[in-house]
């Protein structure tokens, strides 16, 4: 079995490298500190984004985001796990109309209502080859999305 690489895989190639990451809530009230993310590829098909940093209030943390593209589903797919929680987030998504933003949908624990689940959308947006953002939003009862976290990435040279 040999899967062919697609132009969708080429979009993910832009992630490869080492990134310095600053994260906060949209108002800048909760500073998530400075993290480092290292991204590597498994032969251009799967991309492993390994993050290390400190949680608000202290304590080391690590994260792992996996991303790929499934030509049969015509969707980007992936997972996210972090040392600060037990839930594995599973993603499916697509590029937006600009071709610069990857929108990833998932569901998981509702952070505001214990014992319930919620729908989430993550967005990876390339500003240029050396800068990108990662935003997290939760679906509101009216169907709109409320952004609750933004991370700014700068490629280390």
């Amino acid at each position: 079995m040999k899967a062919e690489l697609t132009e969708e895989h080429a979009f993910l190639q832009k992630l490869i490298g080492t990134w310095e990451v600053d994260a906060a809530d949209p108002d800048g009230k909760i500073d998530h500190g400075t993290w480092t993310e290292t991204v590597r590829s498994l032969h251009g098909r799967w991309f492993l984004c390994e993050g290390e940093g400190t949680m608000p209030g202290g304590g080391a943390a690590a994260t792992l985001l996996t991303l790929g593209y499934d030509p049969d589903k015509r969707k980007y797919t992936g997972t996210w796990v972090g040392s600060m929680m037990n839930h594995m987030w599973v993603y499916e998504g697509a590029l937006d109309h600009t071709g610069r933003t990857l929108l990833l949908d998932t569901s998981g624990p509702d952070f505001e209502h214990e014992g319930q689940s919620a729908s989430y959308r993550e967005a990876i947006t390339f500003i240029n080859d050396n800068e990108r953002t990662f935003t997290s939003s939760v679906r509101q009862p009216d169907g709109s999305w409320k952004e609750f976290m933004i991370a700014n990435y700068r490629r280390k040279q």
Side-chain angles (χ1 to χ4, degrees):
M1 172 188 239
K2 176 151 171 59
E4 297 298 320
L5 294 177
T6 67
E7 72 180 56
E8 289 82 5
H9 290 102
F11 173 84
L12 296 171
Q13 287 280 350
K14 296 187 292 187
L15 293 166
I16 293 174
T18 302
W19 301 82
E20 188 173 278
V21 186
D22 296 313
D25 71 333
D27 299 325
K29 294 179 183 170
I30 302 173
D31 182 1
H32 294 273
T34 300
W35 287 58
T36 299
E37 182 182 77
T38 303
V39 182
R40 62 189 174 94
S41 152
L42 300 179
H43 299 279
R45 191 162 330 292
W46 290 101
F47 296 81
L48 307 176
C49 311
E50 299 175 80
E52 291 186 357
T54 304
M55 292 298 298
T63 61
L64 177 63
L65 170 67
T66 64
L67 288 171
Y69 182 76
D70 185 332
D72 293 335
K73 290 183 179 181
R74 295 186 200 173
K75 300 246 183 221
Y76 286 90
T77 60
T79 61
W80 186 93
V81 293
S83 61
M84 70 292 294
M85 65 180 63
N86 294 319
H87 183 75
M88 176 188 279
W89 302 84
V90 177
Y91 295 118
E92 267 195 0
L95 292 178
D96 75 350
H97 69 281
T98 69
R100 295 180 327 133
T101 300
L102 176 58
L103 300 171
L104 298 166
D105 294 316
T106 189
S107 62
D110 187 326
F111 298 125
E112 294 182 5
H113 303 98
E114 192 172 332
Q116 295 183 28
S117 64
S119 295
Y120 295 90
R121 174 168 283 170
E122 320 286 23
I124 299 171
T125 302
F126 278 91
I127 298 163
N128 57 49
D129 288 344
N130 296 310
E131 296 177 280
R132 62 184 165 100
T133 61
F134 183 97
T135 58
S136 294
S137 302
V138 61
R139 187 179 295 274
Q140 300 300 288
D142 67 1
S144 66
W145 294 99
K146 178 183 174 188
E147 186 177 294
F148 63 89
M149 193 277 300
I150 183 166
N152 298 298
Y153 291 69
R154 287 172 309 288
R155 187 182 301 277
K156 286 187 172 184
Q157 298 301 329

